[in-house]
Amino acid sequence: MTGKEIREKFLKFFEERGHRILPSASLIPTNDPSILWTAAGMVPFKPYFTGTAKPEMLRVTTCQKCLRTPDIEEVGRTARHHTFFEMLGNFSFGDYFKEKAIPWAWEFTTRVLGLPAEKLWISIYLDDDEAFDIWHREVGVPAERIVRMGKDTNFWEIGVGPCGPCSEIYIDLGEERGCGSPECRVGCDCDRYLEIWNLVFIQFFRDEAGNYTPLASKGIDTGMGLERVASVLQGVNSNFDTDLFREIMDYTAGLVNREYGAEKKTDMALKVIADHCRAVTFAIADGALPSNEGRGYVLRRLIRRALRFGRLLGLNEPFLYRVSGAVIRQMADVYPELPANKDHVLRVIRSEEERFGETLAQGTEILNRLVQEARNAGRTVIDGREAFRLYDTYGFPLELTREMAAEEGLTVDEDGFAAAMEEQRERARSARQETEYLSEAGAFYKSLREQLGETRFVGYDVLETGARVLALIKDGRPVKQAVAGEEVEFILDVTPCYAASGGQVADHAGVEAPALEVRVTDVFRPVEGLFVHRGKVENGILKENDSVRVKVDVARRRDTARNHSATHLLHKSLKEVLGGHVHQAGSLVEPDRLRFDFTHYAPVSPEEMRRVEEMVNGAILDSLPVETEITTLEEARARGAAALFDEKYGENVRLVKMGDFSLELCGGTHVRNTAEVGLFKLISESSVGAGLRRVEAVTGPGALRYVSAREEQLAHIAELVKASPAEVVARVEALVREHRELEREAEGLRARLARFEVQSLLEKVRELDGAKFLAARTTAPDMDSLRAMVDLLRDRLGSAVILLASPAGERVNLVAAVTGDLVLRGLHAGKLVKEIAPIVGGGGGGRPDMASAGGKDPSRLQEALDRAYTVAMGQLKG
């Protein structure tokens, strides 16, 4: 079976058994800062297993794209290590349990995939007799092929939250794939027994104290690696030999006229390129971008590792974006986000490839310095940690470092390199956050929701309502009351307050009752359906069960709504002006401004900014009605609604429509008519990463304040240049021309003065063992002028050492130069200024032929100049 056939058969099998087929979630986890990537099929469903959200269907099946990075360096070396892979899974959220999950797994494996039952082995948790009985008595697996294993391998738990035992299906690939040990069995590290499917039975809740409580609603979470199963069914020894990889590797091999399978070194390079290109292609399509931190750093590292292996094949020009095109062609019918974002993906990868070329040049310069330092110190070995820094910081391959060092007669301390590599891996392992089902705080709020019920949000329709105080929380613990002056969290049965989400900040509000005033400054939803208000008691005592009146800050809500509606108009306008590749990559909606991040590859020109601003204001002037409706996600997408790549949407979604101009999925608050947005002004545009731009804007009262401030500035400038506001531009242009002319005249005068001063300085030249020596004070106003004067003197003097100094306010500038013949005799400009500068309270250094320094004590300048001759004589060799 092909990989595509396996994928389709799996999803169809479980659809026939009442499961809803859901598309793969994004590789960027939704609302989960604890992890960088979606690394398992269960990640999108964590809220359902923890109970922080309610599933709209109890049975689900997916083929989830996953990305894991703990063992990047192993990719290409082994048969099964990958960064990107696809995980097939079926899930039950409180519906069926072991009694169905186990027989279905056996049926799919043996009947649909056709794997021989006699070669399948089962592992279960040590004391999971329930699983043993189902596997043995109901399914018919012989008892001797059911292996009980310990907690470290067959019990799934991470911190506080739901957990449970696991059961795995292994296939025996034959003695020839084994290690030859008589103890070889399921669980051995060799390749004989291959795990193909893991069934997790979520049946307990682990608390902070380590106690396990049976769950009333049990769950099933399974994962089958598509690449592994494909390797078994296609009868190959490596995942890379399956059709999931061969098409990509053969394409890359064709770029260099090589053949996969002919040479081990070539094969490894092709494997790394195929795996890493799959990972970065999917990640960029899901909205990630290369950068120097977080998931962006992971992408940059993967791209550069692939490029390094490409260079081993002779691919020195950008090529990875072409391989990415092959990935998209192969996977387009399964993952529509790939062709939809093709231009964006290829452009980002190519841009990163070109950036790497510049980085490689930097690395070469640093390596040349390391070679020179080793020679100067009489060493024949490049320090391993320095070689690793080149690799890790600049993406410089060890192979290239080794090759270039060998050309200079040097070697590389590869043991030191390996030690530094292992230290970095250990740091990564220590820093890597595991996927937690539920934090301690999350468990606390979940228990509150179960106890109190969900908060009813009425803030779309009303901004004031009566409510009852259900609970108060202080320092993470329930309290009965809060007195004046205390800050406290509290939960109401009903609220008009919008909780921060989707980039929109929370409402502020007042909570009142007789003799009670509370000022709410934040509202958040720690678990689905529960609104937590945070505020300060300003007067009286807030108590549990109080009846109160909640009043949203109307002006703040109105201004925030203006800015939120404006982001929708802005998003659409950017797409129209810049192109369909523009996608929202984040936003911040506050009462006084809005910030909008989006994918684009170049600065937005002033003309493009003007067109975007005109388009938004045109939509505002058209007074478009703003309407909302609840519909299905499928229907919203069919109508072309824009959705954020990093948002998770349920079966039913809220659609915000602004005339025929904009259609987006959104849970935020909005104006009723675009005319209410008022004036829209773009105030800035900048880069926030490779292929990522940011604009900021103001609307309504904020835009009026902005325009008013600019008018005041214009009036002030007009006053300064003695012109009316209408004549300011012409007057400033005339002043600029006049200033440039004066600058040219001044520059000419400075040059003439410098020549005169050089002439006088020549009279101070001394002999230095057959060469010329000059150390003198000058009137040069800055370091550039000082260097220019040194150059003039060097041209006049021939073989010479020169040290010029000039006071600059409270500081001293020093520049030294040594001609090439004297460098060969031991004189070194950098060492000269390094020894002289401390006399004037400073420091500096530089190359043997040119160096500079600064100081803070002009009073000792002559002493420093007098010392220079002695230092130069000491450096001179014969």
Side-chain angles (χ1 to χ4, degrees), residues 331-398:
M331 309 289 266
D333 58 336
V334 182
Y335 298 101
E337 64 271 22
L338 294 182
N341 293 284
K342 179 180 176 181
D343 292 344
H344 169 63
V345 172
L346 301 190
R347 193 175 296 187
V348 169
I349 293 176
R350 179 156 192 174
S351 172
E352 191 65 17
E353 291 189 82
E354 291 167 350
R355 182 190 296 258
F356 178 66
E358 299 167 6
T359 299
L360 208 56
Q362 285 181 292
T364 302
E365 185 178 329
I366 293 170
L367 180 56
N368 290 338
R369 178 176 57 77
L370 292 176
V371 168
Q372 189 61 48
E373 287 177 359
R375 280 181 168 168
N376 292 343
R379 298 194 311 268
T380 60
V381 180
I382 299 289
D383 182 84
R385 292 184 178 277
E386 288 292 339
F388 178 75
R389 187 172 72 85
L390 263 177
Y391 161 76
D392 191 47
T393 306
Y394 297 97
F396 214 71
L398 175 61

Side-chain angles (χ1 to χ4, degrees), residues 711-738:
E711 287 179 341
E712 288 179 15
Q713 286 181 330
L714 179 60
H716 185 55
I717 293 169
E719 184 180 348
L720 290 173
V721 300
K722 297 180 172 55
S724 69
E727 298 169 332
V728 160
V729 173
R731 179 63 180 140
V732 170
E733 285 176 343
L735 287 172
V736 169
R737 286 194 298 271
E738 186 178 331

Side-chain angles (χ1 to χ4, degrees), residues 323-334:
V323 181
S324 177
V327 173
I328 293 171
R329 286 192 295 274
Q330 181 180 0
M331 309 289 266
D333 58 336
V334 182

Side-chain angles (χ1 to χ4, degrees), residues 50-52 205 438 440-455 469-480 489-493 524 526-533 544:
T50 61
T52 57
F205 186 92
L438 194 62
E440 186 174 345
F444 169 72
Y445 287 116
K446 174 177 174 285
S447 66
L448 275 181
R449 190 194 62 190
E450 291 173 350
Q451 174 188 338
L452 305 173
E454 295 189 359
T455 310
V469 180
L470 300 181
L472 291 89
I473 305 108
K474 190 168 175 58
D475 299 326
R477 298 179 179 278
V479 294
K480 292 297 182 183
E489 294 177 0
F490 56 96
I491 298 167
L492 306 172
D493 62 340
F524 61 99
V527 295
E528 187 175 306
L530 190 73
F531 286 60
V532 180
H533 306 70
E544 201 175 277

Side-chain angles (χ1 to χ4, degrees), residues 133-149:
D133 288 340
I134 298 173
W135 280 116
H136 180 50
R137 302 183 191 285
E138 295 185 29
V139 175
V141 178
E144 61 271 18
R145 289 217 308 275
I146 303 175
V147 181
R148 294 179 185 264
M149 301 180 76

Side-chain angles (χ1 to χ4, degrees), residues 2 83 118 166 183 201 296 360 432 461 467 475 484 487 515 583 608-609 620 628 653 671 832 875:
T2 64
T83 53
E118 66 275 9
C166 308
E183 302 299 319
F201 309 126
L360 208 56
R432 193 168 63 245
D461 304 309
D475 299 326
E487 293 189 354
H583 294 289
E608 289 168 332
M609 290 276 280
I620 292 169
T628 62
V653 294
V671 297
L832 176 63
Q875 289 183 3

Side-chain angles (χ1 to χ4, degrees), residues 638-657:
R639 290 166 61 181
L644 299 189
F645 67 81
D646 59 351
E647 287 290 336
K648 180 177 73 69
Y649 299 103
E651 183 66 15
N652 292 316
V653 294
R654 183 170 182 259
L655 202 56
V656 177
K657 183 175 184 290

